[in-house]
Amino acid sequence: MILSRLLPVCISLTALCACGGNKGITPQHRDITEMVFASGVLEAYDQYNLTAQQDGYLVQLKFNEGDLVNKGQPLAVIDNHQNILNARSAEELHGIAARNTQPNAPALLQIQANIQSAEAKLQLDQQQADRYQRLYQHNSVSRLEYENAQLAAVSSKAALDALREQYNNQKINAQQQEVSQRFISGVNQVTQEQNQIKAVTSGRIYQKQKQLGDYVRKGDVIAVIGDPELIYAKLNVDETNMAKLKEGQPVVIRLNTNKSKTYQATIHQILPSFDAASQSFLVKAYFTDSLDFRIAGTQLEANVITGEKKNALVIPRAYLQYGNTVLLKKGRQKTTVQTGIVSSDWVEILGGINENTVLIQDNK
């Protein structure tokens, strides 16, 4: 609809320029539409890259372009035997560490046996010390013999306490080792599972970027997945035009696959950051009519309608010179004009000249 309104304007411009030129023209009252041009691509909503988490060869690819996939669905398998071996080794070491924490663990049983022996020895030494104490009280043994008996009991008690402390330390060390090995086993299990690549969210496979047998490195993109229901236009807008854009403005879009057809859309979101890769600002435009070509990545051209005015005083854009000046036919003098809306063909004149002013082009 917008393009059909612009068509008579373009025809009038051609006729005007044909009869104008250095013969002179005068400003005219016409409807004018201001548009901001932008390039872009079709993109699926919530689009993301399915990437490899490990290095290796792709030994399985379980999808094709256009397939619908569910969240968590396995889509590819990477052959990485090192991850598998590491996971098995860590699991076995964790099993050993776990068994070492049990009461029947060999190290604990050995210390427990030593404790039992030390307890028996302490009991005997304590009995001997008590007996020598009674004998000493009756002057039946020497003081040295009495003190040696007492010392033997004290030593046995210290040896028993040391063994009990050793038993507790062994249990703590075994438990710490079990925790450490359990963590390492879990990490290696996750790493092994990363050999199997799964869909992060449900969606459609829009691009398949690797083939069966390809060697991939961590971070390589294997496929592009996005929402199958919502396709929008991602526009790249030059920074000089960003001040003119607002959410809700109408957009006319042509896909490069069929430039004879246009689609209507509106600006849905203006992203708040500058895109360094494209050296432009990014704008999302949602289609307001039916989109019959839904292949993500399709390049497009867009014109954002930023302003319209009825019966505006305009001149052909070719007559506006640097510094917003125009060349008067009378005396070939330059004068400055105040401009409003600027379209691809016309410039709105707000002041400086009127509809009776005759303009010519500078052919120098």
Side-chain angles (χ1 to χ4, degrees), residues 96-327:
I96 294 172
R99 289 192 293 274
N100 286 338
T101 63
Q102 301 302 313
N104 60 352
L108 292 177
L109 288 176
Q110 181 61 50
I111 300 174
Q112 186 65 40
N114 293 338
I115 290 174
Q116 292 174 355
S117 177
E119 288 174 340
K121 186 176 185 304
L122 173 60
Q123 185 177 8
L124 291 174
D125 289 344
Q126 188 61 52
Q127 290 174 352
Q128 184 75 345
D130 293 342
R131 188 168 70 85
Y132 268 72
Q133 184 179 13
R134 291 193 298 270
L135 292 173
Y136 177 70
Q137 290 172 349
H138 293 87
N139 295 319
S140 298
V141 294
S142 67
R143 182 176 182 81
L144 179 60
E145 289 174 317
Y146 163 69
E147 290 179 348
N148 285 338
Q150 293 295 323
L151 181 60
V154 171
S155 298
S156 295
K157 178 67 167 59
L160 177 60
D161 290 342
L163 285 170
R164 286 172 175 168
E165 184 68 19
Q166 182 183 358
Y167 183 86
N168 291 332
N169 289 338
Q170 180 64 31
K171 282 183 62 177
I172 293 172
N173 290 336
Q175 290 168 350
Q176 291 175 338
Q177 187 68 17
E178 188 276 332
V179 171
S180 176
Q181 288 298 329
R182 176 162 24 108
F183 174 77
I184 295 173
S185 178
V187 170
N188 279 276
Q189 186 64 35
V190 170
T191 303
Q192 179 187 357
E193 291 174 356
Q194 288 176 343
N195 288 351
Q196 188 175 76
I197 304 170
K198 300 178 181 180
V200 179
T201 61
S202 300
R204 184 186 299 278
I205 304 291
Y206 284 100
Q207 293 181 26
K208 180 179 180 181
Q209 298 195 1
K210 296 294 181 182
Q211 302 299 323
L212 188 65
D214 284 353
Y215 185 84
V216 296
R217 297 190 180 279
K218 184 176 181 179
D220 284 355
V221 178
I222 296 175
V224 178
I225 302 176
D227 190 324
E229 302 299 328
L230 178 57
I231 303 292
Y232 64 89
K234 184 173 75 173
L235 309 180
N236 301 104
V237 180
D238 186 82
E239 58 185 340
T240 58
N241 293 318
M242 282 302 298
K244 300 177 182 178
L245 300 191
K246 292 188 260 182
E247 292 182 3
Q249 288 175 327
V251 186
V252 181
I253 295 176
R254 285 191 180 91
L255 303 182
N256 285 9
T257 53
N258 184 6
K259 291 191 175 182
S260 63
K261 185 172 183 178
T262 61
Y263 301 88
Q264 304 299 317
T266 58
I267 291 181
H268 176 76
Q269 182 182 14
I270 299 173
L271 299 186
S273 60
F274 185 76
D275 183 56
S278 62
Q279 289 295 296
S280 62
F281 285 90
L282 299 180
V283 175
K284 292 182 180 181
Y286 282 16
F287 290 91
T288 56
D289 56 10
S290 178
L291 181 64
D292 53 8
F293 192 88
R294 304 175 64 84
I295 298 180
T298 300
Q299 295 186 335
L300 56 86
E301 296 177 352
N303 284 294
V304 182
I305 310 301
T306 57
E308 292 182 283
K309 183 177 277 192
K310 302 290 186 181
N311 198 35
L313 185 66
V314 300
I315 63 171
R317 188 167 179 173
Y319 282 76
L320 184 67
Q321 300 180 21
Y322 179 77
N324 279 358
T325 61
V326 294
L327 183 61

